Amino acid sequence: MTKILEFEKPIVELYEKIEQLKALSKSGNIELEKEIQRIEKRAKKLKMDIYSNLSPHQIVQIARHPNRPDSSSLFRLICEKFIPLHGDRQFRDDPSIVGGIGTIKGQRVILIGHQKGHDTKENIYRNFGMPHPEGYRKALRLMEMAQKFSIPIVTFIDTPGAYPGLGAEERGQAEAIARNLREMSSMTVPIISFVIGEGGSGGALAIGVSNKLYMLEYSVYSVISPEGCASILFRDAKKADEASKSLKITSVDVMGLGIADGVIPEPMGGSHNDWKNLSKDMKKQIVSDLKNYKLIKPEAIRQERYKKFREMGEFQV
Amino acid sequence: MSIIDWFAKKQKAPSKAERLNIPGDLWIKCPSCSEVLFTKDLEVNYKVCNHCNFHFRLSPEERLLYLFDKNSFVESDSNLKPIDFLKFKDTQQYSSRIKNAQQKSKKHEAVTIGQASINNKMVNLAIMDFFFLGGSMGSVVGEKITKIIEAAVENQHPLIIFTMSGGARMQEGLLSLMQMAKTSSALALLSEKKVPYITVLCDPTTGGTSASFAMLGDIQIAEPGALISFAGPRVIEQTIRQKLPDGFQKSEFLLEHGMVDMVTSRPDLKEILFDLVTLLDPREEVKK
Ligand SMILES: [Zn+2]
């Protein structure tokens, strides 16, 4: 069953009422029919009103929706062929990061993504999509293989952040992320990234140093979680709502900052009920980009990426 | 821990109130061992407590004074200034936080860059300043770090960066996160040019700073007792819901786990830095 978010409740309640009335009206009561039509109209308007005026805080909830499409499922929906690959060859296979090799419209690709679960059991196994250093090292291993065999890289970002824990610190979480940033910058194969849900800080960026970055319409990308920001800067964890506004984290905001190259539209209210159509649009974007990059020399692909990040920053001279 | 140990530790805990109320600031109480120290003695001793080896935090000026040849420093890009482009307001407007920090430090930002020499050996240099908004990395810090890396790519002199930063500057939103990618990308170019890069990790080096240029040195040196981590201890304690072991995420812990090459006391740092940049620099070989 799909989880209903707090702000969706009035809509759901109206639709439930419509269903009840419909059951009653089987006898052909004309007055009742009219009433149903009236409520249906109201429900439609309410839906429009709510979904077209979502606050950043509400968008965060959609981005974290338990039924939101996950990396592994999207890989399978987008690729004709997909072979999952595992392990960092040093410590273990981190279930918070998935990857593999496949084809998209016949074109070879290496795909890498953060992996969340859809229920508690799966989420515990996936560590809620929060990788350990070995997850980032697995990602780097796959990217280096992509570079070796001249295969374009596609990454899906969906993490609350890199895992803050004992083992993660002992094994060099900071070093693992830093290394990925440096190594991704020098790849000569194209890298295309999508924020598919939550883009949480350095743990997101560690697979996001890309030529092209796309935000799904209801995804977010932030330097710190709104909750973290609220407790540190606002000194009140309950101010996450306010922090999510100030941080400028929605797809539209991230476009505005010049960090995202495009927004992939989603059905009104989010993709959690329609993974297939979303995957089609993502596929279209990947196919079109890969076609363009075929015409660009490897060194120019690297330079393009370098230049993009080199120009990021707002200051006064 | 016995209650007596706990109480002893509590008494030792560092706090601003520890500063003794004697006019002229002639004395200071060591936040680590509580010993009362002459400010003058402390300054002669590189601001290291001679009882317990506690390393006081330094300003960029103090580091230049202790570690580099006298008057050799030539600063660059000191004109870059931060702007409040998101109009970010938490308990305070970001623009007023900037103004306060600038007034207090007499500087525009949390990092100072330029060239200086150690025993007449020229190096490129960046020194972060925790006293300026927690040394946090926003657009200006990212830009200046990138500029000094680019200078090193150009002039081929070794690069030394002193890191001292709580991480990304949240008030600049996602653009502050992107500085991690920007600085790390520039280091890829430096590495290809085979110019030596040494990081000196000072207390504290965490978050977005540790997860980018701080951890990418050819050689990494930590000052004793520095907090060096990705996640802060408080965040980890909240996540795993248990107390962290003593010394966790401190320099010595990082040495043990293979994350730094050495933990070096401040009085020995200048000679070590000189030896390392000379030994690593391929151009020294040519000179012979
Ligand atoms: Zn002491």
Side-chain angles (χ1 to χ4, degrees), chain B residues 30 32-35 37 49 51-54:
Chain B
C30 173
S32 172
C33 72
S34 298
E35 197 67 42
L37 309 166
C49 172
H51 294 269
C52 73
N53 201 35
F54 175 78

Side-chain angles (χ1 to χ4, degrees), chain A residues 19-306:
Chain A
E19 286 310 308
Q20 285 165 7
L21 288 174
K22 274 186 178 164
L24 276 177
S25 78
K26 275 189 185 128
S27 48
N29 184 331
I30 293 172
E31 279 308 304
L32 213 53
E33 294 277 333
K34 270 189 186 159
E35 175 70 5
I36 290 168
Q37 277 175 17
R38 206 176 55 79
I39 299 177
E40 273 181 335
K41 218 171 161 183
R42 218 173 85 203
K44 213 170 156 187
K45 189 175 174 295
L46 185 69
K47 213 170 148 182
M48 270 291 277
D49 284 351
I50 289 179
Y51 286 129
S52 53
N53 289 302
L54 291 171
S55 71
H57 184 62
Q58 289 167 329
I59 293 173
V60 170
Q61 290 170 271
I62 297 176
R64 291 175 181 163
H65 198 290
N67 299 92
R68 197 149 172 90
D70 61 278
S71 290
S72 285
S73 306
L74 288 171
F75 291 165
R76 287 192 169 79
L77 284 166
I78 291 170
C79 298
E80 300 90 54
K81 183 185 278 179
F82 179 73
I83 304 166
L85 301 168
H86 295 99
D88 68 341
R89 300 294 187 270
Q90 295 177 55
F91 186 69
R92 66 160 190 154
D93 183 49
D94 186 343
S96 311
I97 291 221
V98 290
I101 185 166
T103 57
I104 300 178
K105 247 192 163 180
Q107 158 82 59
R108 302 180 304 159
V109 281
I110 292 275
L111 300 113
I112 297 159
H114 299 102
Q115 182 68 29
K116 285 188 185 176
H118 296 291
D119 56 38
T120 308
K121 196 178 154 211
E122 212 186 333
N123 257 324
I124 288 168
Y125 173 63
R126 299 291 182 188
N127 200 30
F128 298 84
M130 293 185 284
H132 282 73
E134 50 270 24
Y136 295 115
R137 289 174 183 140
K138 163 161 81 176
L140 183 59
R141 187 200 131 221
L142 295 180
M143 289 190 272
E144 281 170 344
M145 187 169 72
Q147 174 70 26
K148 181 176 174 184
F149 297 112
S150 304
I151 306 171
I153 299 164
V154 175
T155 70
F156 292 169
I157 293 166
D158 190 16
T159 180
Y163 185 61
L166 291 175
E169 292 290 323
E170 282 170 355
R171 298 193 289 279
Q173 188 73 286
E175 192 273 346
I177 295 171
R179 182 179 294 269
N180 279 20
L181 303 181
R182 185 183 65 193
E183 296 309 312
M184 284 185 89
S185 82
S186 48
M187 303 259 158
T188 57
V189 293
I191 305 175
I192 301 164
S193 297
F194 292 82
V195 184
I196 61 168
E198 252 185 309
S201 192
L205 184 62
I207 60 165
V209 184
S210 53
N211 292 78
K212 295 273 181 214
L213 176 77
Y214 300 100
M215 301 276 295
L216 302 196
E217 187 176 349
Y218 296 108
S219 67
V220 292
Y221 197 1
S222 181
V223 63
I224 184 169
S225 72
E227 292 80 3
C229 179
S231 80
I232 297 169
L233 285 184
F234 293 76
R235 307 212 170 266
D236 182 357
K238 284 179 218 113
K239 293 203 166 152
D241 194 343
E242 214 178 313
S244 65
K245 266 188 213 115
S246 307
L247 284 165
K248 302 275 182 272
I249 60 178
T250 66
S251 54
V252 177
D253 289 332
V254 177
M255 273 289 280
L257 288 169
I259 292 165
D261 297 282
V263 174
I264 309 291
E266 293 187 50
M268 193 170 266
S271 295
H272 39 271
N273 293 318
D274 189 1
W275 297 7
K276 230 183 190 153
N277 269 315
L278 175 74
S279 72
K280 275 184 198 155
D281 289 339
M282 291 172 73
K283 182 173 181 163
K284 229 183 267 166
Q285 188 64 56
I286 297 169
V287 169
S288 132
D289 281 347
L290 292 184
K291 204 173 141 199
N292 291 338
Y293 280 113
K294 276 205 159 158
L295 307 170
I296 304 175
K297 287 205 176 76
E299 195 47 42
I301 291 174
R302 176 191 173 165
Q303 277 167 16
E304 178 201 72
R305 192 185 314 113
Y306 185 83

